[in-house]
Amino acid sequence: MLEKIRGGDFSDFKKYLYKRGSRDDSIQKQVLIFREAAYHEGLSAADKINSYVCLLYRLCELGSCLDLENELGSMGHFTDLALREIGCSDNIRKDRMHVYVSLMTAYANSLLYLGKFDHCRSILEDTTAWYEKHDLIHFMRGFYKTCTNLSRIYLVLFGLSYFHSGIVRKDCIDKAIFCIQKGFFIGLGSDDIVAFQEIVSVSKIVDDSTRIYARLVRPPAGEPEVTMLVDKVFVRALRVSDASFKDAIRLNIANYLTHEN
């Protein structure tokens, strides 16, 4: 695969990029493949960005903090590419909102993996502000898939705000709910079972966040068991499936809270 990409042959790469089940290489090999693709001039802007997103996740799974730090230096380039080169499309792989949100989600998860909680909070606040300025006309048919990423972002922001200063931002939960509702409405008539299973899954995390909010607004908000509950929902809200990736972020949460307190 790597040699094909270097030679400008992408006949098998699209399946490799968008079908996770087709990847039987080691994480190390995937890093090489996605890095080559992300910077290859022969690919479209959307395919480059999606390759870069996969690259960031694989570097986190590999536990290579130095390489991850170095790759994040290119975030400005790929952000500009997403906003400048990609338009609106019913195909989420080519839709500006979905690609940009996917990119920012990968960026945020990478920052959390590196323990940069304050930087992550700032990035997510900027991302939600960017999303909120869009009118409904900008939401294409595929938004019912994008909405789960955005809702997760709001829930992560809810947790980060609480970890940072004990601030309880109910607006994050409300906006997560509204985002899910909007996605469900736009997706009515679709037979995409997997996407709607994801909506149900995220809705359950929203519900758990709502229950925790009810606990947080009752003093004492800083009791250890409540912080553990926020931690639990926070990690579930991440767009992360790898167990070691989650464990690293849990450890960073503990270190961050120790530092804050």
Side-chain angles (χ1 to χ4, degrees):
M1 180 69 73
L2 186 59
E3 292 306 317
K4 278 189 171 184
I5 295 173
R6 286 173 175 167
D9 180 357
F10 307 108
S11 56
D12 298 322
F13 178 67
K14 297 294 181 72
K15 181 180 179 181
Y16 188 88
L17 175 60
Y18 295 112
K19 300 291 185 182
R20 293 189 62 177
S22 67
R23 306 171 199 163
D24 55 3
D25 301 304
S26 66
I27 298 297
Q28 291 89 338
K29 187 66 175 292
Q30 290 185 42
V31 164
L32 295 175
I33 290 171
F34 287 127
R35 180 179 284 131
E36 185 69 29
Y39 297 97
H40 201 293
E41 290 303 316
L43 281 172
S44 68
D47 289 339
K48 288 179 184 178
I49 295 167
N50 288 320
S51 296
Y52 181 69
V53 166
C54 289
L55 172 60
L56 295 183
Y57 281 119
R58 296 297 86 76
L59 286 172
C60 290
E61 291 177 21
L62 193 60
S64 182
C65 293
L66 182 58
D67 284 344
L68 181 60
E69 288 261 22
N70 289 336
E71 282 299 340
L72 289 180
S74 298
M75 182 56 68
H77 165 72
F78 286 100
T79 299
D80 181 63
L81 202 60
L83 297 178
R84 180 170 46 86
E85 298 290 337
I86 300 179
C88 298
S89 173
D90 287 334
N91 181 345
I92 60 171
R93 297 170 183 171
K94 301 177 181 179
D95 179 61
R96 180 192 297 122
M97 180 168 290
H98 187 87
V99 172
Y100 180 74
V101 169
S102 294
L103 179 62
M104 291 300 103
T105 301
Y107 189 14
N109 284 333
S110 298
L111 292 172
L112 292 174
Y113 184 82
L114 294 170
K116 299 184 177 183
F117 281 64
D118 293 336
H119 189 180
C120 180
R121 191 177 71 256
S122 175
I123 292 300
L124 294 186
E125 286 173 345
D126 290 345
T127 302
T128 53
W130 176 84
Y131 154 69
E132 289 166 12
K133 74 179 183 181
H134 287 80
D135 296 324
L136 192 60
I137 192 173
H138 295 104
F139 298 98
M140 307 304 289
R141 287 289 298 170
F143 182 75
Y144 69 93
K145 296 182 179 179
T146 311
C147 75
T148 53
N149 277 358
L150 278 164
S151 294
R152 287 175 184 273
I153 283 176
Y154 279 117
L155 297 178
V156 170
L157 192 52
F158 173 82
L160 286 175
S161 298
Y162 179 71
F163 293 149
H164 175 65
S165 56
I167 294 175
V168 182
R169 289 190 54 182
K170 185 175 184 294
D171 68 297
C172 287
I173 297 176
D174 293 339
K175 289 174 179 177
I177 293 171
F178 183 59
C179 190
I180 285 285
Q181 290 173 335
K182 190 183 297 181
F184 187 80
F185 174 76
I186 290 175
L188 285 177
S190 169
D191 60 356
D192 192 332
I193 302 300
V194 174
F196 283 100
Q197 285 176 338
E198 177 72 4
I199 287 179
V200 171
S201 175
V202 176
S203 296
K204 291 178 180 177
I205 303 175
V206 172
D207 183 59
D208 286 345
S209 299
T210 304
R211 295 172 189 274
I212 288 174
Y213 167 77
R215 293 280 301 276
L216 293 176
V217 295
R218 300 172 190 159
E223 59 189 36
E225 59 268 31
V226 174
T227 300
M228 287 173 60
L229 286 172
V230 177
D231 175 359
K232 181 179 179 181
V233 175
F234 177 83
V235 173
R236 284 174 59 208
L238 299 172
R239 193 59 146 164
V240 175
S241 57
D242 182 76
S244 62
F245 194 164
K246 289 183 179 180
D247 288 341
I249 292 177
R250 286 191 180 97
L251 179 60
N252 286 340
I253 291 172
N255 292 335
Y256 180 77
L257 291 176
T258 299
H259 175 73
E260 286 292 308
N261 296 328

